[in-house]
Amino acid sequence: MAHTDDLNALLETLNAIPKENLKPLNMPAKTATQEAENLYYWANKDLAELQRAGLGETKIAQLLVRAGALHQAQSDWIDEKHEKENSEILWKEETPMAFDLQAELEHTFRFAYRNDEARRKSIQEIAEGNGHDDLIQDLNDYANIGRKHPEPLQAINFDMTKLDLAADTSDRLAGLLAQVNGARETNSEAKLLRDRAYTHLKELVDEIREYGKFVFWKDAEKLEHYSSGYHRKTSNKRKEEEIHQ
């Protein structure tokens, strides 16, 4: 079964996990999935002993499905995160030009429509405020006025293609800003799904390891198969660092 199929098969179950029950990743997601697959291998080798202790074979089989779901959820989260990071780069590259265009349009429109009281008031209102949201709205507002009332701009030989540029820039920046804001949001849907997939996998991994520790409590070699190699290594590393301090 493909990892996308694994994730789709568990989607309803994962989405039902409350946020307050989510477990923080205490190891890289790729390590969690690999340890689950290793556990699947060892649990199948020890199946008879584990079944005598009450562990069902279907639970062991579920390890691969849950690990596959985490594989896919992690990939989707990484893809989304990188896409948003790219949007932030594009936003930083494009906003200086947009602010320059905003300033040019304000300067030009104030002069072109200086004798049109209605438009002059509109331009004054557009010029109020600042910030990114204001920039996006201003560009679209200037384009709207210029297209509806082109004669004063044409009279001063204004480059009318800049109206299209303003409207296009406004639309593009609105999309980029939405993605940038999403990149700064720690609880994106993709990340939440990744965390739910990890939580769902960890619950089963912990349960199977408990059975293994119970059954093989006198077998030191087999006991290692039912604990986290990642945490053993990090624990040993910390101990070595403490010794050399």
Side-chain angles (χ1 to χ4, degrees):
M1 183 183 287
H3 295 329
T4 51
D5 295 333
D6 293 329
L7 182 58
N8 289 333
L10 294 177
L11 205 52
E12 186 175 350
T13 300
L14 297 179
N15 286 328
I17 300 174
K19 287 183 182 180
E20 58 269 22
N21 291 350
L22 296 180
K23 302 180 186 298
L25 271 73
N26 56 6
M27 65 177 68
K30 61 184 179 182
T31 303
T33 54
Q34 186 58 57
E35 288 200 351
E37 289 163 3
N38 294 345
L39 182 60
Y40 172 83
Y41 171 80
W42 291 113
N44 271 293
K45 290 197 71 170
D46 300 329
L47 182 60
E49 295 99 317
L50 294 171
Q51 282 183 317
R52 280 196 294 271
L55 181 62
E57 186 176 0
T58 55
K59 284 202 170 182
I60 297 174
Q62 264 288 303
L63 275 171
L64 291 187
V65 179
R66 296 191 191 191
L70 178 55
H71 267 302
Q72 188 59 46
Q74 174 69 7
S75 294
D76 291 344
W77 160 233
I78 291 297
D79 182 59
E80 179 186 286
K81 185 169 67 169
H82 288 168
E83 182 177 336
K84 289 174 177 176
E85 288 171 352
N86 185 58
S87 296
E88 189 151 8
I89 292 171
L90 290 174
W91 171 264
K92 290 177 180 178
E93 288 176 349
E94 294 199 24
T95 47
M97 179 277 291
F99 277 117
D100 286 345
L101 180 59
Q102 178 193 38
E104 179 185 351
L105 291 175
E106 180 186 347
H107 173 72
T108 301
F109 277 47
R110 282 185 184 278
F111 179 75
Y113 296 99
R114 65 192 182 281
N115 297 321
D116 184 333
E117 185 176 356
R119 248 51 67 194
R120 188 162 49 82
K121 288 181 179 179
S122 295
I123 294 162
Q124 180 62 40
E125 186 175 335
I126 293 170
E128 294 174 356
N130 52 59
H132 295 152
D133 292 343
D134 189 68
L135 167 67
I136 291 167
Q137 185 63 51
D138 284 3
L139 292 176
N140 195 68
D141 288 345
Y142 285 129
N144 185 58
I145 290 176
R147 287 166 173 171
K148 287 183 177 179
H149 310 281
E151 294 82 4
L153 293 173
Q154 292 168 340
I156 62 171
N157 296 314
F158 175 73
D159 182 357
M160 301 298 283
T161 63
K162 289 189 177 181
L163 300 178
D164 292 333
L165 176 61
D168 292 343
T169 301
S170 175
D171 184 59
R172 186 170 63 257
L173 289 184
L176 286 176
L177 184 58
Q179 290 185 324
V180 168
N181 289 337
R184 294 165 181 166
E185 172 58 59
T186 58
N187 289 325
S188 77
E189 289 303 314
K191 183 179 183 298
L192 283 173
L193 186 59
R194 191 283 306 272
D195 292 348
R196 287 186 165 106
Y198 171 74
T199 298
H200 196 49
L201 174 61
K202 188 177 188 309
E203 287 173 350
L204 183 57
V205 166
D206 288 348
E207 182 180 359
I208 293 173
R209 283 175 174 168
E210 285 178 4
Y211 274 95
K213 290 171 184 176
F214 170 72
V215 172
F216 302 112
W217 66 296
K218 288 186 176 180
D219 189 331
E221 183 178 342
K222 283 198 173 185
L223 271 178
E224 281 201 358
H225 302 155
Y226 295 91
S227 63
S228 169
Y230 175 84
H231 289 310
R232 281 199 308 275
K233 288 178 182 177
T234 53
S235 177
N236 290 336
K237 185 178 179 180
R238 281 197 300 270
K239 288 177 182 178
E240 288 179 6
E241 289 174 349
E242 289 172 2
I243 290 171
H244 291 93
Q245 280 181 351

